[in-house]
Amino acid sequence: TESPDMIPPRVTVNLDEAPEERWLPSLQRFDQDTLRAILRNVIQHRIPEWFNVFMKEFVDHLQGSLLEPFVREIRGICNALNLSFVDGMLINMIYESSML
Amino acid sequence: CTSILVQDANGHIYHGRNLDFVSGTGLRNITVDVQFIKNGQIAYTGTTFIGYVGLWTGQSPYKFTVTGNQRQKDQWQKNATETLFKTHYPPGWFIRKTLEEAKDYKDAVRRLSNQPLITNVYCIVGGINAWEGVVISRNRTDPVDFWLLNPKGEWFLVQINCDHWVKCPRTTEFRKIPASKAFNEAGPENINLYKLYEILSLCPILSDITVYTTVMSAANPDEYMTRVRTPS
């Protein structure tokens, strides 16, 4: 009982570029308004409220942490999509936050 | 989620997964296969959705494949979580780091076993040689179990979201039983990526919360295939 399966777009992330720049070509493959709406919807429906509060307090302490290379990629994505950095971090904790 | 490792009669390893996620409708529209390029070469490949920089599904060509499944929840207070984030990786982020840095299957298994993580997780790793396949059941700091492909009968491993050594709740066990039955009916001589995809498409292994299905084999990296699933 399935409709035809969809082949997802194949995108490229060049690790030789600065982390903030790597995902920009991939983002341009999508309608920015739709993408932003989907990501905000995910945050609204999937992230526990306490984790949202925690992340707002925690983001100031990320510099120099284990997460730093990934955090720079997230900053680049947030800047391109006009999303707050907290929202970007929450999107990137979507699976993990549901297990905490 | 369902992750499967299987070996055919010639010792080839195949790895597949269904990524299941409640409220995943929007995510289907932004699911992508990503080729991570370094020095002009494909360093590794993965499947994710745009905006999420970690990977729960990926392949390091001619080295290993890896998927992650959620393991039981933890109850942690906020102050404990803050401490965790300073020393422990989110699993999806560490899986990507492993794809980027691990030299081979054994190195990947070692890294995925030992790195402190912020949540419990199952790491499912497939290699390029016969019997290179393992499900690592992890708590935050340590591995608690290694479930291996082995010549004494376990030529396929079906990992869902509960420990393989305990009886799962009915709703999750329902995915494991038909998968095992399908493999036993097919036999190792009839296994290939298409058969694996077919088994991952059986109800209820495939469900209305399945966002995508990926099948892959590190020894044949060009055959990496993902399909976004759209239940009617």
Side-chain angles (χ1 to χ4, degrees):
Chain A
T1 59
E2 278 233 312
S3 57
D5 299 324
M6 192 173 78
I7 301 173
R10 178 166 288 186
V11 300
T12 299
V13 170
N14 188 347
L15 299 171
D16 296 321
E17 291 184 0
E20 291 85 350
E21 309 289 323
R22 289 173 184 171
W23 289 90
L24 302 188
S26 309
L27 296 176
Q28 286 163 6
R29 301 272 299 270
F30 292 83
D31 177 77
Q32 308 286 289
D33 291 335
T34 306
L35 184 52
R36 206 166 20 244
I38 290 170
L39 296 177
R40 286 195 169 134
N41 188 54
V42 167
I43 294 169
Q44 193 177 346
H45 288 98
R46 294 296 305 171
I47 305 287
E49 182 56 31
W50 75 267
F51 193 74
N52 200 329
V53 172
F54 159 72
M55 193 53 75
K56 280 177 186 159
E57 293 176 10
F58 182 64
V59 286
D60 292 336
H61 305 286
L62 282 171
Q63 199 167 6
S65 75
L66 281 176
L67 311 179
E68 182 54 34
F70 298 106
V71 165
R72 288 178 61 193
E73 292 186 12
I74 295 166
R75 280 188 204 282
I77 291 169
C78 290
N79 289 341
L81 292 178
N82 197 22
L83 286 171
S84 73
F85 179 59
V86 171
D87 279 354
M89 284 298 295
L90 290 173
I91 289 158
N92 276 277
M93 294 289 159
I94 181 173
Y95 298 104
E96 288 82 355
S97 66
S98 67
M99 288 189 281
L100 283 166
Chain B
C1 294
T2 305
S3 285
I4 295 175
L5 282 168
V6 60
Q7 175 169 315
D8 73 9
N10 297 315
H12 298 137
I13 305 291
Y14 303 96
H15 190 162
R17 74 112 81 250
N18 282 347
L19 186 121
D20 299 340
F21 201 75
V22 177
S23 308
T25 308
L27 299 182
R28 291 186 175 95
N29 298 324
I30 58 172
T31 298
V32 288
D33 279 342
V34 189
Q35 290 183 326
F36 292 86
I37 308 290
K38 205 169 194 175
N39 300 323
Q41 306 276 331
I42 296 174
Y44 54 101
T45 303
T47 303
T48 186
F49 62 87
I50 287 287
Y52 185 89
V53 302
L55 292 174
W56 286 76
T57 306
Q59 165 185 275
S60 180
Y62 306 108
K63 294 179 183 173
F64 63 93
T65 53
V66 58
T67 58
N69 283 15
Q70 290 186 346
R71 193 164 174 250
Q72 69 210 38
K73 291 184 181 185
D74 277 325
Q75 299 297 325
W76 278 87
Q77 300 301 315
K78 184 189 137 195
N79 58 353
T81 308
E82 188 165 339
T83 307
L84 276 179
F85 271 80
K86 289 177 181 164
T87 51
H88 296 48
Y89 269 93
W93 301 26
F94 190 71
I95 287 173
R96 180 174 154 196
K97 188 174 165 67
T98 303
L99 284 161
E100 193 161 329
E101 296 178 354
K103 294 181 184 71
D104 53 27
Y105 166 79
K106 282 183 183 168
D107 190 25
V109 171
R110 183 184 58 78
R111 287 167 184 255
L112 291 164
S113 301
N114 297 330
Q115 171 63 45
L117 302 171
I118 64 168
T119 65
N120 299 335
V121 70
Y122 300 104
C123 294
I124 301 95
V125 193
I128 55 171
N129 300 311
W131 308 112
E132 283 186 346
V134 62
V135 175
I136 310 162
S137 300
R138 282 287 314 261
N139 61 23
R140 285 182 307 280
T141 52
D142 303 299
V144 293
D145 182 77
F146 294 91
W147 186 26
L148 298 151
L149 288 174
N150 70 77
K152 292 179 182 171
E154 290 190 288
W155 58 279
F156 63 88
L157 307 175
V158 180
Q159 179 62 49
I160 48 178
N161 299 103
C162 63
D163 296 338
H164 72 90
W165 60 92
V166 301
K167 182 144 180 75
C168 309
R170 271 171 64 92
T171 47
T172 47
E173 190 77 21
F174 274 3
R175 283 182 277 145
K176 202 170 173 178
I177 293 167
S180 301
K181 184 167 177 280
F183 280 117
N184 284 321
E185 282 175 3
E189 63 279 5
N190 291 312
I191 292 300
N192 52 44
L193 283 183
Y194 297 101
K195 188 68 185 175
L196 178 55
Y197 185 84
E198 193 179 301
I199 290 171
L200 283 162
S201 302
L202 293 171
C203 179
I205 304 163
L206 180 74
S207 76
D208 58 358
I209 61 167
T210 303
V211 177
Y212 68 79
T213 300
T214 298
V215 291
M216 54 193 169
S217 176
N220 295 290
D222 293 341
E223 294 181 7
Y224 190 98
M225 184 184 85
T226 300
R227 292 291 181 269
V228 177
R229 313 311 295 261
T230 315
S232 54

